[in-house]
Amino acid sequence: MTVHRMDHVGIVVEDLAAAVAFFVELGLEPEGEATVGGRWADDLLGLDGVRADIAFFRTPDGHSRVELSTFRSPTTTLAPPNAPVNIPGIPRLTFVVDDVEDVLDRLRAHGAELVGTVARFEDICRYAYVRGPEGVLIGLVEELR
């Protein structure tokens, strides 16, 4: 059996509204929001009493999707990640953008913080990481060719 395609990346956040605003500003297109729960969700996640609010987004090219979710129940006592870029298992999404500085300026208004600097890789691209909602790292690539 082969993989047909990647369906989506899921990110759990505490403040869904702030995360939605961040990803809209980044340029993703909202697909819809819903509240999910019930036996199927409990079975799928291996948790009891699941109740979550979710929002789906699609990249402008239509090939990738992001799911944001916040859990009303059950609650957890673990804090969200806020680790450096090289920590194993950290969620990191990378998007190709028209202008890194323009996107950085817009995302800063939504609490984004630049990690390191905007780096140029030869004449191929300019690349930057920003930390967004709940510590999620977002890579921004401006292609120069």
Side-chain angles (χ1 to χ4, degrees):
M1 175 62 82
T2 59
V3 171
H4 295 283
R5 66 181 164 85
M6 185 181 93
D7 187 71
H8 69 277
V9 172
I11 303 170
V12 176
V13 299
E14 288 186 25
D15 186 341
L16 186 61
V20 164
F22 179 89
F23 281 93
V24 166
E25 189 65 49
L26 182 59
L28 274 66
E29 300 168 358
E31 284 193 325
E33 296 185 30
T35 298
V36 298
R39 176 55 42 205
W40 73 272
D42 291 358
D43 291 346
L44 175 66
L45 300 175
L47 299 170
D48 291 321
V50 171
R51 188 91 171 139
D53 297 321
I54 63 171
F56 267 95
F57 297 87
R58 182 173 299 283
T59 56
D61 67 0
H63 294 293
S64 301
R65 296 183 339 154
V66 173
E67 172 193 348
L68 302 174
S69 59
T70 187
F71 283 78
R72 295 182 191 180
S73 65
T75 59
T76 183
T77 58
L78 300 177
N82 199 14
V85 174
N86 64 342
I87 192 84
I90 191 162
R92 179 175 66 217
L93 305 172
T94 302
F95 299 96
V96 174
V97 300
D98 290 328
D99 180 333
V100 169
E101 272 82 14
D102 176 62
V103 175
L104 285 171
D105 288 343
R106 292 191 347 254
L107 294 180
R108 282 185 176 117
H110 294 274
E113 297 177 7
L114 181 64
V115 175
T117 64
V118 177
R120 182 181 177 121
F121 179 66
E122 299 175 357
D123 65 344
I124 297 171
C125 69
R126 297 176 71 235
Y127 203 141
Y129 285 112
V130 297
R131 192 173 302 282
E134 315 297 332
V136 173
L137 290 171
I138 304 293
L140 303 173
V141 175
E142 177 182 331
E143 296 173 326
L144 299 175
R145 294 183 182 185

